[in-house]
Amino acid sequence: MKKSVFLGALTVAGLAAGAASAATLDDVKAKGFLQCGVTTGLTGFAAPDANGEWEGFDVGVCRAVAAAIFGDPTAVKFTPTTGKTRFTALASGEIDMLARNTTWTFTRDVDLKFEFTGINYYDGQGFMVPKELGVTSAKELDGATVCIQTGTTTELNLADYFRANNMSYEPVPIETNSEAQQQYLANACDVYTTDRSGLAATRATFENPADHVILPETISKEPLGPLVRHGDHEWGDVVRWVLNALIIAEEKGVTSANVDELAKGTDNPEINRLLGTEGSYGEILGLDAAWAVNAIKAGGNYGELFEKHIGENTPIGLARGLNAQWTDGGLLYAPPFR
Amino acid sequence: MSDTSFVRRDMLEPQTPPPSQVGVIGWIRENLFSGWFNSILTLASIYVIYWVLASVLPWVLQSSWTATSLNECREQIAVAYGEGTSGACWAVIRERYLQLIYGFYPSELYWRPNLAFILMIFALAPVLYPNVPRKMLWFSGLYPFIAGWLLWGGTIWTPIAIVAGFAVGYGLFRVLIDRFGSLAAVIAAVLGTVLWWLLLAGPVAATLASAIPIGLTPVESRQFGGFMLSIIIGVTGIGASLPLGIVLALGRQSDLMILKSLSVGFIEFIRGVPLITLLFVASTLLNIFMPPGTNFDIILRVVIMVTLFASAYIAEVVRGGLAALPRGQYEAADALGLDYWKSMRLIILPQALKISIPGIVSTFIGLFKDTTLVSIIGLLDPIGFSNAIRANAEWQGIVWELYAFIALLFFIFCFFMSQYSMSLERRLQTGHK
């Protein structure tokens, strides 16, 4: 009896979940703000500043979506999530979207029932070694001690890579990035391995960054992107096309500085469609005509966000690399806006 | 020769003791160098202390307080103390101490947690110290509602409606006790209170709020963080787990079979599960079970779990105190003709709790420090915030300064608790040893 009541309650809860998630865009509009899951802190991607304002590359995506819906990049509330709580927070409806440097994988997409709405950063696992070791390639790392974060995909990638190249290594398990820095600087390990963006950010904080090199090999694919729940395609489309709009804006030269000028109308029909002077694309998406203008004004186009938070002029100093536009030899290739 | 005497007639002036026996030198000889083994130990200890201070103090003192980033810190220290000096970068504390204490709480509303904290001292005083007027206990009873209202804000009528529930229960009890006896009156009072809370408290508060809008700006739980969050979770957990733990300990000793097995089951289950598991249940599992849109506050969920966890441990500590009492005390209480509750209240528990004080306080200290585990479920307590601060490009790579500051905050509180428990033991010492 008790069990059936419990199962019944679960079913009702499940049905209610289905009903609620069927119209996330309406829910978001009704409550007046977007609820966005971010990390509890990752350099360049999301961190609170001294005034408690969140900023970073992932945060920029959240703000752009909020601006597209409400015309106000501050109409967003951030929920810090850890690697362990992020997926339940999204599945349970606590947050509307997750922008938390999450790798797009088969199981997360299919088995956990999420919908990745694009890729905002192409990352990959790399190695950092002290320059004095004289190592120039990861293939020379046979027998090295490696600092590695436990319980992550990087651990598995590392094992795969060394086995595939018939090399041996001695792992030094560590929990957090800051612990890794300490261990690495204390020479507890020869090599530190994690995502290349993380390596660059870590190296930037060393007293003598030039004494350490990041090896050229990238041993895994880590496409990071925002994600939403399965089953609400209208909401997924909003998040996907806000991200695409930022990428297209960079490709077409629309920046936060000139967007107001260009929104008055240009000779380029794709820009006109994007900025709402031709057609009614905002309406099709369930938003107003100036959605893309607002999203671009929030923090700039993709390139501006990149430069501001993780680009070469920041302490992290990442080159565009794979994250350049396809016209510049990168992988960013947004579908045409028509 | 006649006046020559071989017997002294007057006393010699007492000589001052040799300098090696009194004063600083005497003390040092007595306490530090009273034998070759002790002398070696003393010299070794002095060397260890010197070595620790010599390695820590320069780092602490050759520091930077004004920089705005870690690199700037390093430059300032290099300029001031020479190239290659490593010093602390206290500037990060100067820039972020408010965040480490209050989290994202709006800065113009800091007076509210401050006031709640000061009132907490007043509310605790009558509980902790016997020479404070007993009437203050009324304030202690009301304090949780006042503090909740101050911290979370919103209309004043919600806490008032909740307090009114107790009045409803008490009223029912008074009315019914003469007509139906005490058991029926207690059941009716509890039912009445719960029904009031579930059905009437919300609408009544809403009606009153729209009629007479008195309230504070609401602050969401998401904006809570830093040391304030640790104190909220710790103090609530400590306050609620002691009564619950005592009830559980009594339940475990009870002769009533169902009550006993329920208590034993609860205690053993909670003690068999790590706190972090319970926190994950609170943060993720409950989310999935509850229908979406139900907003069951995350801090409330965590507080409930922490309280349940601590109460199971308190129950076992109190049970130890109960078991340590000689059988004669129970029999004496029975012989006086006291009923169960009176004998517990007047004879057994005062003695049992006195024996358990060190255990209870160390459970509380442990509970207070365990609040840092909430950083794993994404709440930004001081430890969680130290990670978030480190994620800023300016402060990445900074470790010891943040941990030192957090350790200092925790030390102050835990040291006070420990000192209080020792003074309480001295006060209650009645010479049974």
Side-chain angles (χ1 to χ4, degrees), chain A residues 6 9-10 13 16-17 20 33 35 40-44 46-55 77-82 84-85 88-89 92 94 177-178 181-182 201-202 204-207 315-316, chain B residues 70-71 74 85-86 95-96 99 103-104 220 222 280 283-285 287-293 298 301 375-380 384-385 387-400 403:
Chain A
F6 182 66
L10 271 187
F33 59 87
Q35 194 106 37
T40 50
L42 181 71
T43 312
D49 69 2
N51 303 318
E53 294 292 329
W54 286 88
E55 53 183 33
K77 295 191 176 176
F78 294 100
T79 301
T81 56
T82 66
K84 299 180 179 76
T85 61
T88 34
S92 68
E94 196 182 331
N177 188 42
S178 57
Q181 290 182 30
Q182 298 287 319
T202 303
T205 67
F206 289 169
E207 287 202 71
I316 305 165
Chain B
L70 181 57
N71 285 331
R74 285 175 180 150
T85 319
S86 76
E95 190 186 294
R96 297 298 183 103
Q99 259 183 6
F104 294 121
E220 293 173 326
R222 191 195 343 273
F280 273 124
S283 84
T284 58
L285 211 57
N287 256 347
I288 294 176
F289 283 168
M290 285 184 308
I298 178 75
R301 280 183 270 164
S375 61
I376 297 181
I377 56 168
L379 288 180
L380 291 178
F385 237 110
N387 282 327
I389 290 172
R390 215 176 289 127
N392 280 275
E394 302 91 51
W395 298 118
Q396 218 215 2
I398 217 157
V399 181
W400 301 110
Y403 283 142

Side-chain angles (χ1 to χ4, degrees), chain B residues 9-24:
Chain B
R9 296 202 178 146
D10 49 347
M11 292 294 285
L12 274 176
E13 279 297 307
Q15 282 186 346
T16 48
S20 61
Q21 293 297 314
V22 289
V24 180

Side-chain angles (χ1 to χ4, degrees), chain A:
Chain A
M1 170 64 198
K2 231 179 186 167
K3 205 168 187 181
S4 65
V5 169
F6 182 66
L7 289 177
L10 271 187
T11 319
V12 171
L15 285 175
S21 65
T24 312
L25 181 57
D26 295 339
D27 291 349
V28 170
K29 279 181 175 167
K31 63 185 174 182
F33 59 87
L34 171 75
Q35 194 106 37
C36 195
V38 292
T39 73
T40 50
L42 181 71
T43 312
F45 287 86
D49 69 2
N51 303 318
E53 294 292 329
W54 286 88
E55 53 183 33
F57 190 59
D58 280 340
V59 169
V61 175
C62 295
R63 291 206 188 279
V65 174
I69 299 170
F70 301 106
D72 176 9
T74 60
V76 50
K77 295 191 176 176
F78 294 100
T79 301
T81 56
T82 66
K84 299 180 179 76
T85 61
R86 56 182 164 182
F87 294 127
T88 34
L90 181 59
S92 68
E94 196 182 331
I95 54 177
D96 303 313
M97 62 176 282
L98 182 69
R100 191 201 177 278
N101 66 314
T102 302
T103 308
W104 185 348
T105 67
F106 176 88
T107 44
R108 285 171 180 174
D109 195 336
V110 179
D111 193 29
L112 290 179
K113 306 227 178 312
F114 294 124
E115 185 179 343
F116 283 81
T117 60
I119 294 166
N120 69 339
Y121 190 80
Y122 290 91
D123 213 336
Q125 188 175 343
F127 297 98
M128 177 163 64
V129 293
K131 205 171 218 168
E132 64 194 24
L133 285 185
V135 177
T136 53
S137 156
K139 298 263 165 53
E140 301 166 20
L141 288 176
D142 195 10
T145 50
V146 184
C147 276
I148 176 99
Q149 288 189 40
T150 51
T152 60
T153 48
T154 51
E155 199 178 11
L156 308 172
N157 296 335
L158 179 74
D160 288 354
Y161 180 78
F162 272 73
R163 207 179 66 182
N165 287 292
N166 204 13
M167 300 191 296
S168 68
Y169 69 100
E170 192 182 327
V172 178
I174 40 130
E175 265 310 309
T176 63
N177 188 42
S178 57
E179 190 188 342
Q181 290 182 30
Q182 298 287 319
Q183 297 280 3
Y184 175 76
L185 287 177
N187 285 326
C189 49
D190 306 324
V191 189
Y192 176 38
T193 177
T194 188
D195 287 351
R196 294 180 76 89
S197 61
L199 287 180
T202 303
R203 192 177 75 143
T205 67
F206 289 169
E207 287 202 71
N208 302 308
D211 291 351
H212 304 271
V213 285
I214 295 174
L215 299 179
E217 283 86 354
T218 303
I219 64 167
S220 72
K221 292 184 288 186
E222 310 281 348
L224 312 177
L227 56 155
V228 297
R229 283 180 294 276
H230 249 189
D232 185 354
H233 299 292
E234 287 75 17
W235 175 242
D237 287 343
V238 168
V239 179
R240 172 176 299 114
W241 279 96
V242 168
L243 180 60
N244 283 341
L246 298 181
I247 296 173
I248 296 169
E250 191 195 11
E251 186 186 336
K252 300 290 173 200
V254 183
T255 67
S256 55
N258 66 11
V259 62
D260 278 330
E261 188 62 32
L262 296 176
K264 290 174 187 153
T266 63
D267 299 335
N268 185 323
E270 185 159 6
I271 294 180
N272 289 348
R273 286 193 294 269
L274 179 69
L275 302 184
T277 44
E278 265 183 53
S280 53
Y281 291 87
E283 197 184 315
I284 301 172
L285 206 49
L287 304 171
D288 60 16
W291 67 278
V293 177
N294 290 329
I296 294 164
K297 271 203 282 195
N301 63 32
Y302 181 91
E304 288 175 271
L305 278 176
F306 194 100
E307 283 313 313
K308 182 166 176 227
H309 297 295
I310 51 181
E312 286 184 313
N313 296 322
T314 66
I316 305 165
L318 291 171
R320 286 295 289 267
L322 290 178
N323 297 292
Q325 293 284 342
W326 64 284
T327 45
D328 301 331
L331 291 177
L332 287 186
Y333 188 97
F337 199 90
R338 63 165 63 248

Side-chain angles (χ1 to χ4, degrees), chain B residues 204-221:
Chain B
V204 166
T207 321
L208 282 169
S210 57
I212 316 168
I214 308 175
L216 295 168
T217 326
V219 179
E220 293 173 326
S221 288

